[in-house]
Structures are given as structure tokens and as C-alpha cells.
């Protein structure tokens, strides 16, 4: 489970980092001193949990929480207990008062892990069968058979994914991260926060975009080096 810390106070960020070192189930991938920087990062990276300060200059934690995807969980951290009621308006997992006590932190983390597990189970229910070359996905009360080779790309749209094939677009409730976990890794490649492509369907590409038939898909900035280093360099003969 990936997390980030968003807090304008360096000591507060450091305190949470120390507590997270004793929590192997959660991986800290980045810290931020403002909400805007965190928002930019989340456009290109999957974040499961945010430890979010409420009172910050510029965009407050409460304002930021209202803009993030519903599958990203939030634990508010603040020195002001009067914000507790406000935190429930954005469905926060928990509300921690600074300085954060270890036992209270553990309880909040365990609650987040439990919620995260429930979200994953809900997504898995939309996948009925996974075989070597196909799977069934639930969409509009029916299960559709999709072979891996017919997928052009998969687009993430908040809490849903759109599976684009030669003949149809199938929408199902699932995150892009969840569906990527069972896709053949040699065949599928994530090129941005919002897209996974079938590399066998690439028609052409340049430094910024990949073209699959008539579809033009932008390469995310944080994914560009991986795409060219791990995929393109192995295919192009110099």
C-alpha cells in the first residue's frame, strides 16, 4: 500500500516518517510541503493513502481532499481538534491530533489497511475468471469475455476502467492499478497514470505520444524514461 505525506511543517513530516518505518505494510513514496505539489504528483502516480495536514498555506487539506479520487484514502493530521467534524464531510479514514501518539497512529493505519482491502475485494468481484489468454469482466450486469490479444489499451477514469478493443469499449468499476496486477507484464505497459497499452498493438510513437490505430495516447512524464529504457531500447536495432 503506497502513501504520501502532505504537511507544511518539516518536523511533522519527519514524525510521521519515523512512525511509518515501523509499519511494513505501508510504503512511503514521497513527502510534500503543499497540496499543489502533491496534486501534480498524483496525476502520474498511484497513491493509496495520504497523511494530510488540514491547515496549510494556499490550498488547505480539506480543500485538497475534496479533489482526490475516492479510492485514495485520507488520514488527516492536525494540531487542532476542532477540525474533526469537517474531516467526516470528505469521508476521511481517521483524524490524528499532533503530536501523534504511536498507539493512535497504529489504530488509524490498521483502519486504512482494512478499508483498502475492502476496496480491492470489491474490484476483484468484477473479474470472474482469469485464464492464460482471456478473462471475464463484469459490465452492466453481464460478464464479457475479453482476450488479452484483442485489447488495444485500458484507460483509467476515476474509479472505473475503460477497456478498448477493436470492436467495443467495456466499462467496469475497478482501478487501473487493480487491473494491471493480472495483465501479462511482457505484453502490457503503463505509460501514464491513466493508460495501460498493449505493446503488441503499437502502430507508431514519438517522444511524447504513442499511436494505436487511430488513437493518440500521451506518454506521462514520469513514465517516459521507463518506456524508452525498458521497452523501446530492446526492440529498436541501432
Amino acid at each position: 500500500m503506497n502513501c504520501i505525506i502532505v504537511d507544511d511543517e518539516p518536523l511533522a513530516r519527519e514524525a510521521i516518517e519515523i512512525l511509518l518505518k515501523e509499519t511494513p505494510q505501508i510504503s512511503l513514496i514521497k513527502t510534500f510541503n503543499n497540496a499543489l505539489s502533491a496534486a501534480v504528483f498524483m496525476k502520474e502516480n498511484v497513491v493509496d493513502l495520504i497523511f494530510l495536514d488540514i491547515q496549510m498555506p494556499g490550498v488547505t487539506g480539506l480543500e485538497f481532499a475534496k479533489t482526490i479520487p475516492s479510492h485514495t484514502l485520507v488520514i488527516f493530521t492536525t494540531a487542532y481538534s476542532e477540525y474533526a467534524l469537517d474531516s467526516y464531510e470528505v469521508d476521511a479514514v481517521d483524524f490524528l491530533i499532533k503530536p501523534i501518539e504511536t498507539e493512535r497512529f497504529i489504530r488509524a493505519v490498521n483502519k486504512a489497511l482494512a478499508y483498502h482491502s475492502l476496496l480491492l475485494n470489491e474490484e476483484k468481484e468484477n473479474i470472474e475468471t482469469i485464464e492464460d489468454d482471456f478473462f471475464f469482466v463484469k459490465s452492466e450486469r453481464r460478464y464479457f469475455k475479453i482476450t488479452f490479444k484483442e485489447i488495444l489499451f485500458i484507460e483509467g477514469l476515476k474509479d472505473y476502467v475503460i477497456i478498448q478493443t477493436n470492436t467495443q469499449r467495456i466499462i467496469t468499476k475497478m482501478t487501473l492499478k487493480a487491473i494491471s496486477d493480472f495483465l501479462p507484464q511482457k505484453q502490457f505497459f503503463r505509460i501514464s497514470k491513466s493508460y495501460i497499452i498493449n505493446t503488441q498493438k503499437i502502430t507508431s510513437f514519438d517522444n511524447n505520444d504513442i499511436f494505436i490505430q487511430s488513437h493518440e495516447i500521451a506518454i506521462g512524464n514520469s513514465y517516459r524514461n521507463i518506456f524508452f529504457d525498458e521497452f523501446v531500447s530492446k526492440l529498436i536495432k541501432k
Side-chain angles (χ1 to χ4, degrees):
M1 188 175 180
N2 292 332
C3 82
I4 61 174
I5 300 170
V6 184
D7 197 311
D8 64 315
E9 300 175 8
L11 291 178
R13 295 196 301 271
E14 185 179 345
I16 297 175
E17 287 186 56
I18 292 172
L19 291 168
L20 283 172
K21 289 180 181 179
E22 304 300 322
T23 313
Q25 305 98 316
I26 298 181
S27 176
L28 176 63
I29 55 176
K30 197 81 172 177
T31 65
F32 301 91
N33 62 10
N34 66 86
L36 291 178
S37 297
V40 172
F41 178 80
M42 290 178 65
K43 289 181 179 179
E44 298 290 347
N45 298 273
V46 176
V47 176
D48 301 312
L49 172 65
I50 305 175
F51 290 93
L52 181 59
D53 184 25
I54 289 182
Q55 197 170 50
M56 294 184 292
V59 178
T60 68
L62 287 170
E63 291 169 336
F64 178 49
K66 294 175 182 178
T67 69
I68 65 175
S70 59
H71 63 266
T72 299
L73 305 177
V74 173
I75 295 177
F76 279 119
T77 61
T78 182
Y80 305 95
S81 60
E82 59 265 29
Y83 287 116
L85 289 177
D86 294 330
S87 70
Y88 293 111
E89 294 182 5
V90 292
D91 296 324
V93 171
D94 213 333
F95 182 93
L96 298 176
I97 302 296
K98 301 174 185 176
I100 301 171
E101 298 178 355
T102 301
E103 183 178 345
R104 186 67 183 83
F105 180 83
I106 293 173
R107 282 167 50 197
V109 165
N110 286 338
K111 190 184 295 186
L113 290 169
Y115 275 122
H116 184 61
S117 178
L118 287 173
L119 289 173
L120 291 179
N121 288 335
E122 181 181 345
E123 291 169 344
K124 288 176 181 177
E125 288 177 358
N126 286 336
I127 299 293
E128 179 67 17
T129 304
I130 302 173
E131 300 291 345
D132 290 339
D133 59 353
F134 70 90
F135 61 97
F136 281 92
V137 63
K138 187 178 182 181
S139 179
E140 297 179 354
R141 301 182 182 180
R142 296 168 57 191
Y143 282 93
F144 292 83
K145 181 180 180 180
I146 301 175
T147 59
F148 291 120
K149 66 180 180 181
E150 71 178 315
I151 298 173
L152 300 180
F153 58 85
I154 302 172
E155 178 184 359
L157 188 65
K158 292 197 70 175
D159 302 328
Y160 292 82
V161 295
I162 302 172
I163 303 171
Q164 178 70 58
T165 72
N166 283 315
T167 59
Q168 59 186 337
R169 286 164 57 89
I170 296 175
I171 303 174
T172 188
K173 188 172 183 180
M174 183 180 299
T175 63
L176 207 61
K177 181 179 184 297
I179 199 169
S180 69
D181 288 341
F182 68 83
L183 293 172
Q185 299 302 305
K186 291 183 179 180
Q187 184 177 348
F188 291 88
F189 201 97
R190 187 163 185 169
I191 61 161
S192 72
K193 183 186 177 184
S194 301
Y195 284 91
I196 295 173
I197 61 166
N198 184 344
T199 57
Q200 297 177 359
K201 300 295 185 178
I202 295 176
T203 304
S204 62
F205 61 86
D206 56 29
N207 287 333
N208 299 308
D209 301 286
I210 290 173
F211 300 86
I212 297 178
Q213 296 182 6
S214 61
H215 305 278
E216 180 179 348
I217 303 171
I219 304 172
N221 291 331
S222 60
Y223 293 81
R224 184 173 288 105
N225 289 340
I226 300 174
F227 176 70
F228 282 98
D229 292 344
E230 295 187 9
F231 177 71
V232 176
S233 61
K234 296 177 182 178
L235 297 181
I236 296 179
K237 296 180 179 179
K238 297 182 179 180

